[in-house]
Amino acid sequence: MDAQGRGHAGDFDPADQWVFDPNTGSYELRLNPADDSQSSSGGAGTTQPRPRRRVTPPSGPSGPSGSPGRSGPADSPGPHGRSGSPRRHASPSGEPEKHTQQLRRTTKAEAEAATGDASSGGRGSRRRSKPKRSTRRRVVYWTGGVLAFLVTSGSVGAYLLYQHFNDNINKVDVGIDNAATSDGPVNILVIGTDAREGKGNTGYGDTGSAGHADTTFLFHVSKDRTNATALSIPRDMITDIPECPTKQEDGSIKKIPPEAQTRFNTSLGQSGRDPGCTWRTVEKITGVKINHFMMADFNAVKELSSAVGGVEVCAAKDINDPKSHLKLKAGKHTVEGEQALAFVRTRSSVGYGSDLSRIELQQQFLSSMIRKMKSGDTLTNPRKLYRLGDAATKALTVDSNIGSIDKLTDLAKDISRVNTKNITFATVPVLDNPNDKATVVLDEAKAKPLFAMVRRDASMTEVKKETERQKKGPKAKKAPASEVTATVRNGGGPPGAAQSTATWLMNEKGIGSATNGGNAPTPLEKTRISYTSGQEGEAARLAHAMKLPGSAVKKATAEDGTQGALTLTLGKDFQGPGKAIDSTDRSPDGVQRVKADENVCAK
């Protein structure tokens, strides 16, 4: 700041932070104005106030009595012809600054004479060279100081931000040890609890309630990260809750006894159950192994929706729900905070007024939020990113395996590769419970094939997951059936399937030799044929006999443990000898679903 030009003598210019060090005989930059040294002039203890200036002082030696020779626009015209009126100070004797100015002019002249070039003979040449040298010096030191400050403060700021986010996260040890990321498919249980405890949750429903598994999604991400499926599990579905070990505050383990034929939402909060109980219940229902869980409360919806600047939703008709306090005119709206929470909680004014209708609203809301989170408007806005990170970490409770920013970040980077258009929301098929109209039961005819799709990592969207070679299988002419020698193993089919299939292949299909290899070392979701070099023709014939797609025929690896034999391993998709295995990977008819990139309206 130029005090002469702007009249703010209380401010300081960076150039004025140069001070003379008598020990080294040179000028040094001091960034803290409180440490500014005053130069002494005359006798001991006589200090001269230093006027403000914008030009770097020369690098010459000190003047008489140790006073540095200083120059600048406060004393004389600068190299560009500027001049300024020096501020007047009283000398220790009470005389005006005139004496001080005279002393400085003398000091300056003596310094120039002492450092001048005898061959130049002119003062102008010295004036032109000195500012140029000292300006360069000033830029180097000043820039270095600023960069050092930015680097230091940036590192400290990043560390503090990391610690802040890390401290936000709540975690629960559910007694299951899984790595944060996986090379295979990833299954994350997302739980929305209606707990009334905690910041922002009071005033909803029963005060002091421990909460339930009010909203639950099983989020499946494919092995190749090309697609994802989110299965909504109705909270009022009647199911069996298995025994659940829960870790207590003192570190001990308490086993919560199982409960048969009860509402799914009681798998959390009730009888002391933690998210691990909901985790085990979903695994029992679907047969899908879960990697991690994430749980959020009412406040999470409010905070996250506001952090991204609002979430766009659509109503096909006017909504006026006195229970959730949601009032919306037909059409598109951007909701956040309390209004966003009201939207995902409403049900009496949409659809059939049931929890199933509310699930569709929640799917619409989450689809829209995913689009907003992945949009450039959010990802390129530092303020929104900070608010989103802060809100997300405060809102989340996760399993201890991902209970740190590092691990959460690794998981987020991994699953964020999925394109939004390939994310499908679907609802687990259910039927009205004939014994209780307020609840529903699993529609096994539709649910089983849907769960099987998830287990075998099949997509509910049209994405290319395999190469043409895998689809067609090995390029080989089918060998005669009588020349085929195969081993049959059971890797998930019905009991006794290996023996019955081996017998069927020889008696019904004319296979030369088929032996029972017992149970496979590990279960398989899909039936598979493994072959080695020279067995391509036999593998093609065996696949034809079993009505298997080309993708089921693969070259054996060391992990298969087939020891070079042509091996048929029956997977969980096997229904019996002679029954074709559905290879279309299409979801059953009648399953409610919506794609995350679709903007649907609540009806």
Side-chain angles (χ1 to χ4, degrees):
M1 185 75 71
D2 185 353
Q4 296 178 39
R6 299 183 184 270
H8 300 300
D11 299 324
F12 58 89
D13 187 273
D16 283 336
Q17 294 177 286
W18 289 92
V19 295
F20 180 80
D21 187 345
N23 296 321
T24 62
S26 62
Y27 286 85
E28 296 180 351
L29 176 66
R30 297 189 183 176
L31 296 180
N32 187 351
D35 295 335
D36 227 3
S37 299
Q38 292 177 321
S39 58
S40 60
S41 176
T46 305
T47 57
Q48 296 294 340
R50 179 170 52 82
R52 306 190 48 183
R53 47 184 47 82
R54 298 190 52 163
V55 179
T56 303
S59 55
S62 62
S65 302
S67 295
R70 308 183 66 166
S71 64
D75 297 317
S76 61
H80 302 292
R82 291 186 60 189
S83 63
S85 302
R87 290 178 293 173
R88 299 186 64 83
H89 295 277
S91 66
S93 61
E95 296 179 3
E97 195 180 354
K98 181 177 180 182
H99 171 74
T100 303
Q101 293 296 328
Q102 182 61 41
L103 175 60
R104 288 185 180 165
R105 291 192 187 99
T106 302
T107 301
K108 179 178 176 182
E110 290 176 354
E112 290 175 346
T115 57
D117 186 350
S119 62
S120 66
R123 183 178 177 182
S125 60
R126 288 192 295 272
R127 280 195 170 187
R128 286 191 298 272
S129 61
K130 286 183 179 178
K132 184 176 181 180
R133 182 170 63 247
S134 52
T135 298
R136 182 169 59 251
R137 189 176 184 184
R138 167 187 165 185
V139 169
V140 171
Y141 279 100
W142 179 245
T143 304
V146 171
L147 288 178
F149 172 76
L150 290 177
V151 170
T152 304
S153 63
S155 300
V156 173
Y159 173 76
L160 293 176
L161 188 63
Y162 171 89
Q163 285 299 111
H164 172 71
F165 285 162
N166 221 37
D167 293 342
N168 281 348
I169 302 172
N170 295 312
K171 47 186 176 287
V172 174
D173 184 354
V174 297
I176 301 173
D177 188 18
N178 290 331
T181 57
S182 169
D183 292 334
V186 177
N187 297 299
I188 302 173
L189 188 66
V190 181
I191 307 171
T193 175
D194 60 354
R196 270 67 178 178
E197 298 177 348
K199 178 184 176 182
N201 296 321
T202 57
Y204 303 105
D206 301 328
T207 302
S209 170
H212 304 76
D214 193 54
T215 301
T216 306
F217 292 88
L218 176 58
F219 192 67
H220 169 81
V221 182
S222 67
K223 178 179 180 179
D224 59 12
R225 307 299 187 258
T226 62
N227 65 92
T229 300
L231 292 182
S232 298
I233 303 176
R235 68 175 190 175
D236 295 325
M237 184 177 73
I238 299 299
T239 190
D240 295 335
I241 299 176
E243 181 182 78
C244 177
T246 61
K247 194 169 187 178
Q248 307 300 301
E249 291 184 2
D250 60 2
S252 63
I253 302 297
K254 179 181 178 181
K255 290 185 178 180
I256 310 299
E259 187 174 357
Q261 295 300 288
T262 186
R263 274 183 166 90
F264 169 79
N265 67 350
T266 60
S267 64
L268 175 71
Q270 311 308 300
S271 302
R273 296 187 178 105
D274 66 7
C277 300
T278 307
W279 179 320
R280 291 171 174 84
T281 302
V282 173
E283 285 189 338
K284 182 177 177 63
I285 294 170
T286 64
V288 176
K289 291 298 180 183
I290 295 171
N291 300 85
H292 304 290
F293 87 85
M294 296 181 181
M295 184 172 69
D297 56 18
F298 286 136
N299 198 50
V301 177
K302 296 186 288 185
E303 295 294 331
L304 289 173
S305 61
S306 296
V308 297
V311 177
E312 185 180 274
V313 297
C314 183
K317 61 181 182 179
D318 292 352
I319 297 177
N320 186 1
D321 186 351
K323 292 184 178 179
S324 68
H325 308 292
L326 178 66
K327 290 184 179 181
L328 285 180
K329 293 289 185 180
K332 294 181 179 180
H333 304 271
T334 298
V335 297
E336 62 176 285
E338 290 287 350
Q339 193 177 33
L341 178 60
F343 184 84
V344 298
R345 293 185 68 227
T346 192
R347 60 176 177 171
S348 61
S349 298
V350 293
Y352 298 103
S354 66
D355 184 55
L356 297 179
S357 298
R358 188 180 68 156
I359 285 176
E360 294 181 30
L361 283 182
Q362 293 168 349
Q363 292 174 349
Q364 179 198 150
F365 180 85
L366 288 174
S367 297
S368 183
M369 179 174 280
I370 289 173
R371 293 195 300 270
K372 189 66 176 288
M373 285 181 174
K374 298 186 75 169
S375 70
D377 180 54
T378 299
L379 296 178
T380 60
N381 188 320
R383 183 171 178 271
K384 283 188 179 180
L385 279 177
Y386 171 81
R387 290 186 65 191
L388 181 59
D390 192 45
T393 50
K394 284 180 178 177
L396 287 178
T397 297
V398 300
D399 61 277
S400 54
N401 298 305
I402 53 173
S404 71
I405 286 296
D406 288 340
K407 293 178 179 179
L408 267 179
T409 301
D410 289 343
L411 179 61
K413 286 180 179 178
D414 184 32
I415 65 178
S416 64
R417 290 184 284 161
V418 179
N419 193 310
T420 305
K421 69 179 182 180
N422 292 330
I423 300 175
T424 303
F425 285 87
T427 303
V428 171
V430 291
L431 299 169
D432 289 338
N433 185 358
N435 300 320
D436 181 5
K437 293 300 181 181
T439 61
V440 293
V441 294
L442 190 68
D443 184 348
E444 295 193 5
K446 295 178 181 178
K448 282 188 174 181
L450 182 61
F451 297 154
M453 283 186 66
V454 176
R455 290 195 301 267
R456 66 175 182 263
D457 198 23
S459 172
M460 294 184 71
T461 57
E462 299 297 327
V463 293
K464 187 175 181 179
K465 298 176 56 181
E466 299 170 315
T467 64
E468 290 301 318
R469 182 192 64 78
Q470 289 174 321
K471 289 183 179 180
K472 295 179 180 179
K475 293 182 179 180
K477 183 179 179 180
K478 298 181 186 71
S482 59
E483 297 180 4
V484 177
T485 299
T487 298
V488 183
R489 301 188 304 187
N490 193 348
Q499 182 59 55
S500 62
T501 300
T503 302
W504 176 82
L505 284 170
M506 291 188 292
N507 294 342
E508 300 295 329
K509 294 298 179 179
I511 297 299
S513 174
T515 58
N516 179 4
N519 291 330
T522 56
L524 296 178
E525 295 296 333
K526 298 181 181 182
T527 298
R528 182 173 67 195
I529 293 175
S530 301
Y531 69 93
T532 57
S533 297
Q535 296 176 334
E536 290 85 354
E538 294 179 59
R541 173 59 65 184
L542 184 59
H544 178 73
M546 291 294 298
K547 298 181 180 180
L548 289 172
S551 59
V553 184
K554 298 180 180 180
K555 199 163 187 176
T557 63
E559 289 76 16
D560 292 330
T562 57
Q563 288 78 41
L566 177 66
T567 303
L568 168 64
T569 303
L570 308 175
K572 294 178 181 179
D573 59 350
F574 180 72
Q575 302 297 316
K579 295 182 179 180
I581 295 174
D582 184 11
S583 62
T584 59
D585 282 343
R586 292 177 301 184
S587 62
D589 293 335
V591 174
Q592 179 275 328
R593 62 178 181 173
V594 61
K595 292 176 67 177
D597 64 338
E598 294 177 347
N599 196 356
V600 298
C601 289
K603 298 180 180 180

